[in-house]
Each structure stands twice: as C-alpha cells, then as structure tokens.
Amino acid sequence: MSAASTNSLFGMGNPLLDICAVVDKDFLDKYSLKPNDQILAEAKHKELFEELVKKFKVEYYAGGATQNSIKIAQWMIQEPHKVGTFFGCIGKDKFGEILKQKAEEVHVDAHYYEQDEEPTGTCAACITGDNRSLVANLAAANCYKKDKHLDLEENWKLVEKAKVYYIAGFFLTVSLESILKVAKHASENNKLFCMNLSAPFICQFFKDNLMQVMPYVDVLFGNETEAAAFAKEQDFDTKDIKEIVRKAQALPKDNKKRQRVVVITQGKDETVMAQSDKIETFPVVKTDPKYIVDTNGAGDAFVGGFLSELVQEQPLDQCVKAAHYAANVIIQRAGCSFPEKPDFK
C-alpha cells in the first residue's frame, strides 16, 4: 500500500473520449492542422470527426488531459484504490457511459456532472509518425457549472479531503470560477495546487484567466512550445528555457509559505525544473524510436507520474523520475493506456 490516502489527489477538467487514428499529411493539410498541436474544434472541423472514423482505423480511449493524469497517478500508486478524485461534465449518452466505465476500471473516483443539453465531448487525436495533432470538441465538457456540481456539499467534501490538486490549463476555457474556488481553498490551507499551461492557445487567448489563477499555483507544468508562448505573452524577453522557468517561478504568489516549482518538458531533451533557488535539469529515459507507438498522452502521463509521488510527499527529484518513467511507458503504447502494473522503483 502506498502512503497516499483515498481522495488525497483531486483533479477537475474536461472529460473527453479520445478518437485516435494514424492519419496522413493530406488529412492534416485538409483541416489545416499542425502535426504537433492542440486546438479546440471550430465549425470547419465538423466533418473531421466523421471522416476520421470513416477513413481510418480508429481506437477509442477515455481521455481529457486532467483525467488522463489522475488515471496515470492512480495506476502508479495502485493501492489504495480511489486515491484520485475527478470532476468534469459529460452527456447522458453512450460515450458518457464509456467514460464512467473506464474511470471505474482504473479505480479513479470520478464524479461527473451529467446533463442532457450537450453530448459527451470528444477529442480527435490525429497521429503522424511520432507527432500528434489534437482537436477537441468540448461539447458537454464545456457545460461544467460550479453551482450545479462543485458547490454541492457532498462534492465539496471531496475537495476538502484532498492534499494535492491538479487542473490542466484547458479548463480555463470552461469554468474559471470553479478553478479559483479550488485554488483559493488550496492556498488558504497550505495544500498544493498544480496547473499546466496545456497549449499555446491557452497562454495566448486565455492569458487573463491564466494570470488570475497563477498567484495560487504551487507547481506549474508545461512543455517547451507552451513555455515559449507563455514567455512571449508575458514579455519575458527570452527564449532560453532556464530563464523562462526562473521568471515564471518569480511571478507573484499568494501563499508565501511555499515557493513555486516550475517544470518544463522538452520531448526527448532534458526536463528543466526550478525549485527554491536552483534550476535543475533531468535527462529523460532514452527510447529507441522504433518502440515509440504514439506520443499522445505523454505530457499527461508525465504529470500523472509526478503527482503520484507528490501526493506521497516524496522529494521533487523522485517526482520527476516517476514522471519520466510514466511518460516512457505511455509513448510505447497506443493512446493514454498502460500495462496492468508499473515496475517503477
């Protein structure tokens, strides 16, 4: 049994059913997709989902960035079950039932707000080589309501039970007030609130929302492209990753008892972390390219591995080690899936 207790890790975000397929460059070009990107679906992408299912061999996985990370953290921890709690909004439909079933299978304590105005959200993961282009159609995920779910007494009790909180930046497009309520609770009770930059468009177009939450962020995650977009929007005037993490760490913070930790991944290159007064780098686990199946979910798995050790109060270098291990497992499998048990030491 791990040192983590039930419901000690809390996540809230967009539950999506991932529709994954290996596609060709023509398909990306047709819908003007970059090989490695994350975007929200627009009207012009309506046919994309239908064409993907018709034209390519698709696989379905329970997805959504935050849900993936909570799932991976639970898998790393194994016992007890339901260390991870997850909140998000789904539709009353077949895809919603699949998400509920998948959460149960991996022992995550998912409490969905179910509504019937919008169908369960989906995300097209278009794979080419070791790149993945994600197009999210939020649908129901966009309907999460603080007053209809988060504020309910039985749900808020689960929030209070947690010690570590994680919300991906993607949720900033859905319910800023829900994020702020959880973030302030964490800050006031000296608990750990973690967030992810998630995508360049979050740093660019949802910058105001992001910066309203930033004072409460104890651990900030991101990858090199998101970090560059963030630095540009914040006028950091540098493209150097180490400088960017230092400047992100120095942004104003509400809870002065903890200094912010900033963790930036760079694909196969080293991970950079700012903690207290030092900046450290950690090489990733080397993988022969021929074993890489797809990189969809690698970033989510990194965070999941990190959180699995963080919630057990392990030192930060151990958190990074677990993060690298989890990401390495995920890229050798389709979707954000994993073997029955981890062999992480």
Side-chain angles (χ1 to χ4, degrees), residues 253-295:
K253 191 164 185 302
D254 189 67
N255 177 9
K256 304 282 190 276
K257 292 182 193 145
R258 299 178 185 275
Q259 196 177 357
R260 183 178 294 118
V261 173
V262 181
V263 189
I264 301 295
T265 59
Q266 307 184 84
K268 59 182 184 303
D269 297 327
E270 58 191 20
T271 294
V272 182
M273 176 167 73
Q275 65 152 317
S276 55
D277 297 326
K278 56 183 191 286
I279 289 173
E280 296 175 88
T281 57
F282 301 85
V284 303
V285 187
K286 287 276 176 274
T287 311
D288 187 324
K290 71 168 183 270
Y291 295 119
I292 298 177
V293 177
D294 85 57
T295 55

mmCIF file of all heavy atoms in Angstrom, residues 253-295:
data_model
loop_
_atom_site.group_PDB
_atom_site.id
_atom_site.type_symbol
_atom_site.label_atom_id
_atom_site.label_comp_id
_atom_site.label_asym_id
_atom_site.label_seq_id
_atom_site.Cartn_x
_atom_site.Cartn_y
_atom_site.Cartn_z
ATOM 1 N N LYS A 253 2.902 35.402 -5.955
ATOM 2 C CA LYS A 253 2.322 34.189 -5.376
ATOM 3 C C LYS A 253 1.610 34.513 -4.072
ATOM 4 O O LYS A 253 2.108 35.275 -3.251
ATOM 5 C CB LYS A 253 3.436 33.161 -5.157
ATOM 6 C CG LYS A 253 2.921 31.786 -4.820
ATOM 7 C CD LYS A 253 4.001 30.735 -4.995
ATOM 8 C CE LYS A 253 3.449 29.349 -4.770
ATOM 9 N NZ LYS A 253 2.860 29.171 -3.455
ATOM 10 N N ASP A 254 0.436 33.919 -3.891
ATOM 11 C CA ASP A 254 -0.411 34.212 -2.737
ATOM 12 C C ASP A 254 0.112 33.562 -1.446
ATOM 13 O O ASP A 254 0.290 34.220 -0.438
ATOM 14 C CB ASP A 254 -1.838 33.729 -3.039
ATOM 15 C CG ASP A 254 -2.842 34.195 -1.991
ATOM 16 O OD1 ASP A 254 -3.087 35.413 -1.916
ATOM 17 O OD2 ASP A 254 -3.370 33.345 -1.243
ATOM 18 N N ASN A 255 0.339 32.234 -1.511
ATOM 19 C CA ASN A 255 0.819 31.520 -0.323
ATOM 20 C C ASN A 255 2.338 31.609 -0.254
ATOM 21 O O ASN A 255 3.057 30.943 -0.980
ATOM 22 C CB ASN A 255 0.363 30.050 -0.388
ATOM 23 C CG ASN A 255 0.893 29.233 0.776
ATOM 24 O OD1 ASN A 255 1.461 29.775 1.726
ATOM 25 N ND2 ASN A 255 0.707 27.920 0.711
ATOM 26 N N LYS A 256 2.821 32.428 0.664
ATOM 27 C CA LYS A 256 4.276 32.691 0.760
ATOM 28 C C LYS A 256 5.030 31.564 1.480
ATOM 29 O O LYS A 256 6.247 31.556 1.531
ATOM 30 C CB LYS A 256 4.533 34.017 1.505
ATOM 31 C CG LYS A 256 3.823 35.235 0.884
ATOM 32 C CD LYS A 256 4.546 35.745 -0.367
ATOM 33 C CE LYS A 256 3.993 37.074 -0.843
ATOM 34 N NZ LYS A 256 2.799 36.973 -1.688
ATOM 35 N N LYS A 257 4.273 30.609 2.037
ATOM 36 C CA LYS A 257 4.940 29.502 2.758
ATOM 37 C C LYS A 257 5.627 28.534 1.794
ATOM 38 O O LYS A 257 6.471 27.752 2.192
ATOM 39 C CB LYS A 257 3.917 28.719 3.590
ATOM 40 C CG LYS A 257 3.353 29.510 4.762
ATOM 41 C CD LYS A 257 2.379 28.650 5.557
ATOM 42 C CE LYS A 257 1.590 29.512 6.520
ATOM 43 N NZ LYS A 257 0.204 29.027 6.667
ATOM 44 N N ARG A 258 5.197 28.578 0.542
ATOM 45 C CA ARG A 258 5.787 27.674 -0.455
ATOM 46 C C ARG A 258 6.244 28.490 -1.650
ATOM 47 O O ARG A 258 5.484 29.313 -2.161
ATOM 48 C CB ARG A 258 4.742 26.689 -0.976
ATOM 49 C CG ARG A 258 4.117 25.765 0.025
ATOM 50 C CD ARG A 258 3.072 24.925 -0.715
ATOM 51 N NE ARG A 258 2.298 24.067 0.172
ATOM 52 C CZ ARG A 258 2.699 22.866 0.569
ATOM 53 N NH1 ARG A 258 3.858 22.400 0.167
ATOM 54 N NH2 ARG A 258 1.941 22.138 1.364
ATOM 55 N N GLN A 259 7.454 28.222 -2.104
ATOM 56 C CA GLN A 259 7.897 28.869 -3.337
ATOM 57 C C GLN A 259 7.414 28.038 -4.514
ATOM 58 O O GLN A 259 7.337 26.808 -4.422
ATOM 59 C CB GLN A 259 9.427 28.981 -3.348
ATOM 60 C CG GLN A 259 9.929 29.958 -4.380
ATOM 61 C CD GLN A 259 11.442 30.134 -4.349
ATOM 62 O OE1 GLN A 259 12.113 29.545 -3.506
ATOM 63 N NE2 GLN A 259 11.974 30.928 -5.249
ATOM 64 N N ARG A 260 7.063 28.705 -5.594
ATOM 65 C CA ARG A 260 6.547 27.980 -6.765
ATOM 66 C C ARG A 260 7.618 27.078 -7.372
ATOM 67 O O ARG A 260 8.801 27.417 -7.407
ATOM 68 C CB ARG A 260 6.043 28.974 -7.818
ATOM 69 C CG ARG A 260 5.412 28.316 -9.042
ATOM 70 C CD ARG A 260 4.876 29.326 -10.045
ATOM 71 N NE ARG A 260 3.756 30.081 -9.485
ATOM 72 C CZ ARG A 260 3.746 31.401 -9.299
ATOM 73 N NH1 ARG A 260 4.794 32.127 -9.642
ATOM 74 N NH2 ARG A 260 2.697 32.001 -8.791
ATOM 75 N N VAL A 261 7.162 25.921 -7.855
ATOM 76 C CA VAL A 261 8.017 24.990 -8.597
ATOM 77 C C VAL A 261 7.551 25.039 -10.050
ATOM 78 O O VAL A 261 6.352 25.021 -10.312
ATOM 79 C CB VAL A 261 7.869 23.549 -8.039
ATOM 80 C CG1 VAL A 261 8.621 22.539 -8.910
ATOM 81 C CG2 VAL A 261 8.341 23.486 -6.595
ATOM 82 N N VAL A 262 8.480 25.141 -11.000
ATOM 83 C CA VAL A 262 8.113 25.167 -12.419
ATOM 84 C C VAL A 262 8.834 24.017 -13.127
ATOM 85 O O VAL A 262 10.056 23.858 -12.975
ATOM 86 C CB VAL A 262 8.483 26.523 -13.082
ATOM 87 C CG1 VAL A 262 8.059 26.545 -14.552
ATOM 88 C CG2 VAL A 262 7.820 27.683 -12.333
ATOM 89 N N VAL A 263 8.061 23.215 -13.852
ATOM 90 C CA VAL A 263 8.628 22.028 -14.515
ATOM 91 C C VAL A 263 8.289 22.080 -16.006
ATOM 92 O O VAL A 263 7.111 22.058 -16.382
ATOM 93 C CB VAL A 263 8.038 20.730 -13.914
ATOM 94 C CG1 VAL A 263 8.788 19.509 -14.453
ATOM 95 C CG2 VAL A 263 8.076 20.746 -12.397
ATOM 96 N N ILE A 264 9.316 22.157 -16.840
ATOM 97 C CA ILE A 264 9.100 22.213 -18.294
ATOM 98 C C ILE A 264 9.758 21.009 -18.976
ATOM 99 O O ILE A 264 10.948 20.771 -18.796
ATOM 100 C CB ILE A 264 9.658 23.536 -18.892
ATOM 101 C CG1 ILE A 264 8.991 24.768 -18.259
ATOM 102 C CG2 ILE A 264 9.498 23.548 -20.427
ATOM 103 C CD1 ILE A 264 7.498 24.940 -18.513
ATOM 104 N N THR A 265 8.965 20.286 -19.752
ATOM 105 C CA THR A 265 9.496 19.142 -20.502
ATOM 106 C C THR A 265 9.856 19.608 -21.911
ATOM 107 O O THR A 265 9.313 20.595 -22.402
ATOM 108 C CB THR A 265 8.451 18.009 -20.599
ATOM 109 O OG1 THR A 265 7.286 18.530 -21.257
ATOM 110 C CG2 THR A 265 8.076 17.480 -19.224
ATOM 111 N N GLN A 266 10.759 18.842 -22.559
ATOM 112 C CA GLN A 266 11.197 19.208 -23.915
ATOM 113 C C GLN A 266 11.285 17.971 -24.797
ATOM 114 O O GLN A 266 12.308 17.713 -25.420
ATOM 115 C CB GLN A 266 12.565 19.895 -23.862
ATOM 116 C CG GLN A 266 12.645 21.081 -22.909
ATOM 117 C CD GLN A 266 13.995 21.759 -23.000
ATOM 118 O OE1 GLN A 266 14.225 22.601 -23.859
ATOM 119 N NE2 GLN A 266 14.923 21.395 -22.120
ATOM 120 N N GLY A 267 10.207 17.184 -24.812
ATOM 121 C CA GLY A 267 10.213 15.962 -25.627
ATOM 122 C C GLY A 267 11.348 15.046 -25.208
ATOM 123 O O GLY A 267 11.469 14.690 -24.041
ATOM 124 N N LYS A 268 12.232 14.701 -26.173
ATOM 125 C CA LYS A 268 13.331 13.775 -25.817
ATOM 126 C C LYS A 268 14.502 14.481 -25.133
ATOM 127 O O LYS A 268 15.425 13.845 -24.643
ATOM 128 C CB LYS A 268 13.793 12.983 -27.037
ATOM 129 C CG LYS A 268 14.300 13.824 -28.201
ATOM 130 C CD LYS A 268 14.672 12.920 -29.372
ATOM 131 C CE LYS A 268 15.265 13.677 -30.531
ATOM 132 N NZ LYS A 268 14.422 14.759 -31.083
ATOM 133 N N ASP A 269 14.459 15.820 -25.118
ATOM 134 C CA ASP A 269 15.521 16.563 -24.427
ATOM 135 C C ASP A 269 15.226 16.681 -22.934
ATOM 136 O O ASP A 269 14.119 16.392 -22.487
ATOM 137 C CB ASP A 269 15.691 17.951 -25.062
ATOM 138 C CG ASP A 269 16.132 17.850 -26.522
ATOM 139 O OD1 ASP A 269 16.870 16.904 -26.844
ATOM 140 O OD2 ASP A 269 15.694 18.690 -27.335
ATOM 141 N N GLU A 270 16.221 17.146 -22.189
ATOM 142 C CA GLU A 270 16.103 17.151 -20.731
ATOM 143 C C GLU A 270 14.937 18.005 -20.210
ATOM 144 O O GLU A 270 14.520 18.975 -20.824
ATOM 145 C CB GLU A 270 17.416 17.645 -20.115
ATOM 146 C CG GLU A 270 17.806 19.035 -20.579
ATOM 147 C CD GLU A 270 19.211 19.445 -20.190
ATOM 148 O OE1 GLU A 270 20.029 18.568 -19.893
ATOM 149 O OE2 GLU A 270 19.474 20.663 -20.180
ATOM 150 N N THR A 271 14.419 17.587 -19.053
ATOM 151 C CA THR A 271 13.373 18.333 -18.348
ATOM 152 C C THR A 271 14.044 19.366 -17.449
ATOM 153 O O THR A 271 15.060 19.069 -16.810
ATOM 154 C CB THR A 271 12.520 17.349 -17.513
ATOM 155 O OG1 THR A 271 11.828 16.481 -18.430
ATOM 156 C CG2 THR A 271 11.506 18.072 -16.638
ATOM 157 N N VAL A 272 13.476 20.562 -17.419
ATOM 158 C CA VAL A 272 14.052 21.652 -16.622
ATOM 159 C C VAL A 272 13.107 21.985 -15.477
ATOM 160 O O VAL A 272 11.906 22.147 -15.687
ATOM 161 C CB VAL A 272 14.260 22.917 -17.512
ATOM 162 C CG1 VAL A 272 14.894 24.045 -16.709
ATOM 163 C CG2 VAL A 272 15.134 22.579 -18.726
ATOM 164 N N MET A 273 13.667 22.065 -14.257
ATOM 165 C CA MET A 273 12.828 22.369 -13.094
ATOM 166 C C MET A 273 13.442 23.465 -12.236
ATOM 167 O O MET A 273 14.620 23.418 -11.892
ATOM 168 C CB MET A 273 12.612 21.109 -12.239
ATOM 169 C CG MET A 273 11.827 21.380 -10.954
ATOM 170 S SD MET A 273 11.230 19.888 -10.122
ATOM 171 C CE MET A 273 12.742 19.238 -9.448
ATOM 172 N N ALA A 274 12.608 24.447 -11.892
ATOM 173 C CA ALA A 274 13.023 25.476 -10.932
ATOM 174 C C ALA A 274 12.405 25.125 -9.594
ATOM 175 O O ALA A 274 11.180 24.988 -9.487
ATOM 176 C CB ALA A 274 12.523 26.844 -11.379
ATOM 177 N N GLN A 275 13.253 24.906 -8.594
ATOM 178 C CA GLN A 275 12.737 24.696 -7.236
ATOM 179 C C GLN A 275 13.638 25.447 -6.264
ATOM 180 O O GLN A 275 14.853 25.457 -6.430
ATOM 181 C CB GLN A 275 12.644 23.210 -6.888
ATOM 182 C CG GLN A 275 13.965 22.473 -6.820
ATOM 183 C CD GLN A 275 13.907 21.294 -5.856
ATOM 184 O OE1 GLN A 275 13.356 21.397 -4.773
ATOM 185 N NE2 GLN A 275 14.491 20.171 -6.265
ATOM 186 N N SER A 276 13.048 26.067 -5.269
ATOM 187 C CA SER A 276 13.724 27.007 -4.364
ATOM 188 C C SER A 276 14.642 27.925 -5.184
ATOM 189 O O SER A 276 14.178 28.536 -6.123
ATOM 190 C CB SER A 276 14.420 26.297 -3.202
ATOM 191 O OG SER A 276 15.325 25.319 -3.668
ATOM 192 N N ASP A 277 15.949 27.964 -4.907
ATOM 193 C CA ASP A 277 16.775 28.934 -5.627
ATOM 194 C C ASP A 277 17.595 28.320 -6.741
ATOM 195 O O ASP A 277 18.503 28.947 -7.274
ATOM 196 C CB ASP A 277 17.704 29.661 -4.637
ATOM 197 C CG ASP A 277 16.891 30.444 -3.627
ATOM 198 O OD1 ASP A 277 15.819 30.956 -4.014
ATOM 199 O OD2 ASP A 277 17.293 30.517 -2.451
ATOM 200 N N LYS A 278 17.287 27.057 -7.070
ATOM 201 C CA LYS A 278 18.120 26.445 -8.113
ATOM 202 C C LYS A 278 17.300 25.948 -9.298
ATOM 203 O O LYS A 278 16.123 25.648 -9.179
ATOM 204 C CB LYS A 278 18.991 25.332 -7.525
ATOM 205 C CG LYS A 278 18.264 24.233 -6.797
ATOM 206 C CD LYS A 278 19.290 23.257 -6.212
ATOM 207 C CE LYS A 278 18.661 21.989 -5.686
ATOM 208 N NZ LYS A 278 17.932 22.113 -4.444
ATOM 209 N N ILE A 279 17.997 25.867 -10.433
ATOM 210 C CA ILE A 279 17.378 25.329 -11.639
ATOM 211 C C ILE A 279 18.119 24.050 -11.977
ATOM 212 O O ILE A 279 19.344 24.039 -12.096
ATOM 213 C CB ILE A 279 17.444 26.347 -12.794
ATOM 214 C CG1 ILE A 279 16.474 27.492 -12.470
ATOM 215 C CG2 ILE A 279 17.057 25.689 -14.114
ATOM 216 C CD1 ILE A 279 16.546 28.650 -13.407
ATOM 217 N N GLU A 280 17.352 22.962 -12.061
ATOM 218 C CA GLU A 280 17.972 21.664 -12.317
ATOM 219 C C GLU A 280 17.488 21.091 -13.640
ATOM 220 O O GLU A 280 16.393 21.402 -14.091
ATOM 221 C CB GLU A 280 17.586 20.688 -11.203
ATOM 222 C CG GLU A 280 18.105 21.079 -9.831
ATOM 223 C CD GLU A 280 17.587 20.133 -8.767
ATOM 224 O OE1 GLU A 280 18.248 19.109 -8.533
ATOM 225 O OE2 GLU A 280 16.521 20.403 -8.200
ATOM 226 N N THR A 281 18.321 20.236 -14.233
ATOM 227 C CA THR A 281 17.903 19.542 -15.453
ATOM 228 C C THR A 281 17.959 18.035 -15.211
ATOM 229 O O THR A 281 18.817 17.545 -14.468
ATOM 230 C CB THR A 281 18.807 19.903 -16.650
ATOM 231 O OG1 THR A 281 20.156 19.582 -16.307
ATOM 232 C CG2 THR A 281 18.691 21.374 -16.993
ATOM 233 N N PHE A 282 17.018 17.328 -15.833
ATOM 234 C CA PHE A 282 16.918 15.876 -15.665
ATOM 235 C C PHE A 282 16.802 15.233 -17.032
ATOM 236 O O PHE A 282 15.857 15.518 -17.776
ATOM 237 C CB PHE A 282 15.658 15.529 -14.851
ATOM 238 C CG PHE A 282 15.625 16.145 -13.475
ATOM 239 C CD1 PHE A 282 15.155 17.446 -13.291
ATOM 240 C CD2 PHE A 282 16.061 15.442 -12.368
ATOM 241 C CE1 PHE A 282 15.113 18.023 -12.033
ATOM 242 C CE2 PHE A 282 16.026 16.011 -11.098
ATOM 243 C CZ PHE A 282 15.554 17.301 -10.929
ATOM 244 N N PRO A 283 17.772 14.362 -17.398
ATOM 245 C CA PRO A 283 17.671 13.701 -18.709
ATOM 246 C C PRO A 283 16.474 12.734 -18.718
ATOM 247 O O PRO A 283 16.141 12.154 -17.689
ATOM 248 C CB PRO A 283 18.998 12.933 -18.821
ATOM 249 C CG PRO A 283 19.516 12.804 -17.428
ATOM 250 C CD PRO A 283 18.955 13.936 -16.632
ATOM 251 N N VAL A 284 15.833 12.602 -19.884
ATOM 252 C CA VAL A 284 14.704 11.677 -19.966
ATOM 253 C C VAL A 284 15.206 10.263 -20.249
ATOM 254 O O VAL A 284 16.350 10.071 -20.654
ATOM 255 C CB VAL A 284 13.669 12.092 -21.048
ATOM 256 C CG1 VAL A 284 13.141 13.489 -20.801
ATOM 257 C CG2 VAL A 284 14.262 11.997 -22.438
ATOM 258 N N VAL A 285 14.301 9.286 -20.031
ATOM 259 C CA VAL A 285 14.642 7.889 -20.310
ATOM 260 C C VAL A 285 14.741 7.738 -21.825
ATOM 261 O O VAL A 285 13.813 8.088 -22.552
ATOM 262 C CB VAL A 285 13.535 6.949 -19.771
ATOM 263 C CG1 VAL A 285 13.953 5.486 -19.902
ATOM 264 C CG2 VAL A 285 13.180 7.284 -18.328
ATOM 265 N N LYS A 286 15.879 7.248 -22.298
ATOM 266 C CA LYS A 286 16.071 7.089 -23.748
ATOM 267 C C LYS A 286 15.214 5.927 -24.268
ATOM 268 O O LYS A 286 15.160 4.868 -23.660
ATOM 269 C CB LYS A 286 17.551 6.798 -24.059
ATOM 270 C CG LYS A 286 18.439 8.032 -23.893
ATOM 271 C CD LYS A 286 18.437 8.900 -25.148
ATOM 272 C CE LYS A 286 19.240 10.160 -24.966
ATOM 273 N NZ LYS A 286 18.483 11.265 -24.369
ATOM 274 N N THR A 287 14.572 6.162 -25.400
ATOM 275 C CA THR A 287 13.765 5.114 -26.034
ATOM 276 C C THR A 287 14.150 5.028 -27.501
ATOM 277 O O THR A 287 14.221 6.040 -28.187
ATOM 278 C CB THR A 287 12.255 5.468 -25.962
ATOM 279 O OG1 THR A 287 11.946 5.822 -24.634
ATOM 280 C CG2 THR A 287 11.386 4.305 -26.385
ATOM 281 N N ASP A 288 14.371 3.805 -27.961
ATOM 282 C CA ASP A 288 14.646 3.601 -29.381
ATOM 283 C C ASP A 288 13.397 4.019 -30.164
ATOM 284 O O ASP A 288 12.298 3.533 -29.863
ATOM 285 C CB ASP A 288 14.933 2.101 -29.604
ATOM 286 C CG ASP A 288 15.407 1.808 -31.018
ATOM 287 O OD1 ASP A 288 14.904 2.488 -31.950
ATOM 288 O OD2 ASP A 288 16.241 0.923 -31.197
ATOM 289 N N PRO A 289 13.553 4.935 -31.151
ATOM 290 C CA PRO A 289 12.379 5.425 -31.895
ATOM 291 C C PRO A 289 11.480 4.317 -32.444
ATOM 292 O O PRO A 289 10.284 4.505 -32.577
ATOM 293 C CB PRO A 289 12.996 6.239 -33.040
ATOM 294 C CG PRO A 289 14.337 6.645 -32.543
ATOM 295 C CD PRO A 289 14.804 5.557 -31.613
ATOM 296 N N LYS A 290 12.074 3.142 -32.712
ATOM 297 C CA LYS A 290 11.238 2.080 -33.297
ATOM 298 C C LYS A 290 10.197 1.538 -32.308
ATOM 299 O O LYS A 290 9.244 0.883 -32.690
ATOM 300 C CB LYS A 290 12.103 0.973 -33.902
ATOM 301 C CG LYS A 290 12.857 0.079 -32.942
ATOM 302 C CD LYS A 290 13.403 -1.144 -33.713
ATOM 303 C CE LYS A 290 14.109 -2.128 -32.791
ATOM 304 N NZ LYS A 290 15.549 -1.831 -32.651
ATOM 305 N N TYR A 291 10.401 1.832 -31.004
ATOM 306 C CA TYR A 291 9.433 1.376 -29.997
ATOM 307 C C TYR A 291 8.368 2.433 -29.680
ATOM 308 O O TYR A 291 7.449 2.192 -28.917
ATOM 309 C CB TYR A 291 10.138 0.969 -28.700
ATOM 310 C CG TYR A 291 11.037 -0.244 -28.869
ATOM 311 C CD1 TYR A 291 12.412 -0.159 -28.617
ATOM 312 C CD2 TYR A 291 10.515 -1.464 -29.309
ATOM 313 C CE1 TYR A 291 13.250 -1.260 -28.788
ATOM 314 C CE2 TYR A 291 11.341 -2.575 -29.485
ATOM 315 C CZ TYR A 291 12.700 -2.465 -29.232
ATOM 316 O OH TYR A 291 13.516 -3.547 -29.407
ATOM 317 N N ILE A 292 8.518 3.624 -30.262
ATOM 318 C CA ILE A 292 7.544 4.681 -29.972
ATOM 319 C C ILE A 292 6.303 4.463 -30.831
ATOM 320 O O ILE A 292 6.367 4.491 -32.057
ATOM 321 C CB ILE A 292 8.148 6.089 -30.211
ATOM 322 C CG1 ILE A 292 9.332 6.310 -29.257
ATOM 323 C CG2 ILE A 292 7.088 7.173 -30.017
ATOM 324 C CD1 ILE A 292 10.069 7.627 -29.447
ATOM 325 N N VAL A 293 5.183 4.205 -30.176
ATOM 326 C CA VAL A 293 3.929 3.944 -30.886
ATOM 327 C C VAL A 293 3.219 5.265 -31.159
ATOM 328 O O VAL A 293 2.869 5.576 -32.280
ATOM 329 C CB VAL A 293 3.026 2.987 -30.064
ATOM 330 C CG1 VAL A 293 1.690 2.783 -30.767
ATOM 331 C CG2 VAL A 293 3.732 1.659 -29.858
ATOM 332 N N ASP A 294 2.957 6.042 -30.107
ATOM 333 C CA ASP A 294 2.463 7.399 -30.317
ATOM 334 C C ASP A 294 2.687 8.239 -29.067
ATOM 335 O O ASP A 294 2.715 7.726 -27.954
ATOM 336 C CB ASP A 294 1.000 7.403 -30.820
ATOM 337 C CG ASP A 294 -0.051 7.315 -29.738
ATOM 338 O OD1 ASP A 294 -0.046 8.180 -28.844
ATOM 339 O OD2 ASP A 294 -0.900 6.421 -29.799
ATOM 340 N N THR A 295 2.878 9.538 -29.290
ATOM 341 C CA THR A 295 3.227 10.415 -28.165
ATOM 342 C C THR A 295 1.987 11.067 -27.548
ATOM 343 O O THR A 295 2.102 11.904 -26.667
ATOM 344 C CB THR A 295 4.207 11.528 -28.614
ATOM 345 O OG1 THR A 295 3.609 12.223 -29.717
ATOM 346 C CG2 THR A 295 5.537 10.949 -29.035
#
